[in-house]
Amino acid sequence: MPLSVIPLRAPVVPPRIRGRVITSQPRQSRTLYATTATIKFIAHNATIYNSTTAPAYLIYINGTLRSNKVSIARGLTVTKTLGQWDNATFDVISTDGTYRPEIDQEVVIVDSSTGLRVFGGDIESPGEQHEDGTSIIWTKVKAVGYGNRLDRRAVAYHYDTTIIWQTVTIVLDLLRVQAPDCGIRYGFAGPSVGSNYTTDIVLPWGYVGDHIRKLAEPEGLDVVVDEYARLYLV
């Protein structure tokens, strides 16, 4: 897949935390690469939907296999860019007008040749188009990776120094205790990230994703959530 260079994110305005200020220093010069993969179904026959042969990619919507309702001709695009949540777009057809993908339904895209996921997330905006004089409805599905759930869940919490806290342990607490309903888990509980905090950390009311990014930024780390809903600090 082609690689394209993307610019570094602008520094985040540092939040003030009681007893300690988290600062966002300019990072050392480094190149960040983004992979943008455009994948299309293999056109096994002349029809644009209801193919009788298994497509190259399997699409599950809300837990049900819906590959036979995705337009082969219109294609399927999955975009993965470091520093952004994954995105997927594709068109769904309902010939009798009875099937309509809905906002927040889960989307999982699997490479049928390997059995591995290439995308996992939720529908952000389904746009409908009716064909005049027919019962056919097209739905243009735009889905965002699982990480977007962190930008929709707000929490506030006070971490005091009666317990030893580091960036990674606070992230683990946010995912497992404060916002378990997001369904995101930490992908690698390996070496510690950052030194021990020596003063209390107060996270004001705000989105979980913003809290994690503000904790990771001073460490020079990006936040990545993959297609299996695993979060990594990289």
Side-chain angles (χ1 to χ4, degrees):
M1 282 182 287
L3 296 178
S4 56
V5 179
I6 62 172
L8 293 173
R9 289 203 311 271
V12 179
V13 177
R16 183 166 295 279
I17 294 178
R18 188 178 68 193
R20 179 177 183 272
V21 176
I22 291 182
T23 58
S24 302
Q25 299 295 332
R27 299 185 185 180
Q28 296 298 316
S29 177
R30 62 180 179 133
T31 302
L32 299 180
Y33 292 96
T35 59
T36 301
T38 301
I39 54 181
K40 294 181 180 293
F41 283 125
I42 297 173
H44 298 288
N45 53 38
T47 63
I48 62 171
Y49 56 87
N50 295 329
S51 173
T52 57
T53 307
Y57 292 87
L58 306 176
I59 297 183
Y60 295 84
I61 300 177
N62 205 33
T64 301
L65 182 62
R66 298 292 188 181
S67 300
N68 65 335
K69 292 186 178 295
V70 175
S71 167
I72 292 174
R74 297 193 182 194
L76 162 67
T77 301
V78 174
T79 304
K80 295 177 178 289
T81 303
L82 187 63
Q84 302 177 25
W85 304 135
D86 295 351
N87 286 272
T89 58
F90 53 91
D91 293 331
V92 171
I93 188 171
S94 175
T95 56
D96 59 5
T98 60
Y99 177 62
R100 299 174 177 180
E102 299 178 2
I103 192 169
D104 289 338
Q105 287 185 335
E106 184 181 35
V107 173
V108 173
I109 303 175
V110 178
D111 185 333
S112 62
S113 65
T114 64
L116 299 176
R117 293 186 183 189
V118 296
F119 177 84
D122 306 296
I123 296 176
E124 183 179 50
S125 59
E128 291 187 0
Q129 180 180 1
H130 297 247
E131 288 196 8
D132 293 340
T134 73
S135 58
I136 295 176
I137 295 177
W138 286 95
T139 303
K140 178 170 288 294
V141 173
K142 295 182 180 180
V144 184
Y146 291 121
N148 190 54
R149 297 178 181 179
L150 300 175
D151 288 336
R152 299 172 60 186
R153 177 71 162 83
V155 301
Y157 202 73
H158 174 200
Y159 296 94
D160 63 52
T161 52
T162 59
I163 297 176
I164 297 176
W165 294 103
Q166 297 177 330
T167 297
V168 67
T169 53
I170 292 179
V171 170
L172 284 167
D173 184 78
L174 286 169
L175 297 180
R176 295 176 179 177
V177 180
Q178 308 306 321
D181 50 311
C182 289
I184 309 296
R185 62 188 186 279
Y186 194 66
F188 178 60
S192 299
V193 176
S195 56
N196 297 340
Y197 292 124
T198 57
T199 57
D200 292 2
I201 299 296
V202 179
L203 301 182
W205 189 255
Y207 293 116
V208 175
D210 288 337
H211 289 324
I212 295 176
R213 280 187 285 266
K214 289 172 183 176
L215 289 166
E217 184 76 19
E219 310 288 350
L221 300 170
D222 284 293
V223 181
V224 175
V225 177
D226 71 6
E227 55 272 10
Y228 291 92
R230 299 174 300 203
L231 183 144
Y232 298 88
L233 300 176
V234 297

